[in-house]
Amino acid sequence: MLHRNMTSDDRTSPEDLLPVPSVPAEDPPSPPPRVYREPGMNDWIVEPPGNRDSPEGRMVFKGERAQHEALTYAHEKFGNARFFPY
């Protein structure tokens, strides 16, 4: 039968260890903007996050590349997106 010894061979004393820097508490991340298709239409909508104002407000994208343009806009403007495909 194989036995393992779970003790550490490290002989470093606690005084020799570097202190762990404290990380200040950050604000929780903002919710991502919503990207979704307009029901019954072929338009794609980008709504800014609730806690972040956007001078443009809600953006509507139309055309064949509307989904791609909406997602690209959300990532460029807000850094991320919450995508609802249909």
Side-chain angles (χ1 to χ4, degrees), residues 1-68:
M1 179 179 270
L2 180 65
H3 292 284
R4 270 184 198 235
N5 184 356
M6 298 304 286
T7 60
S8 173
D9 290 337
D10 189 10
R11 305 270 188 236
T12 307
S13 68
E15 293 82 26
D16 294 338
L17 298 175
L18 295 174
V20 176
S22 63
V23 177
E26 296 180 10
D27 294 332
S30 65
R34 293 178 38 168
V35 178
Y36 59 94
R37 190 172 132 193
E38 180 75 35
M41 306 280 290
N42 222 6
D43 302 343
W44 284 85
I45 298 172
V46 177
E47 289 183 355
N51 65 345
R52 209 165 149 197
D53 291 331
S54 174
E56 296 88 15
R58 182 178 137 170
M59 294 290 291
V60 178
F61 295 86
K62 301 174 184 254
E64 293 177 12
R65 297 183 41 87
Q67 178 183 5
H68 176 75

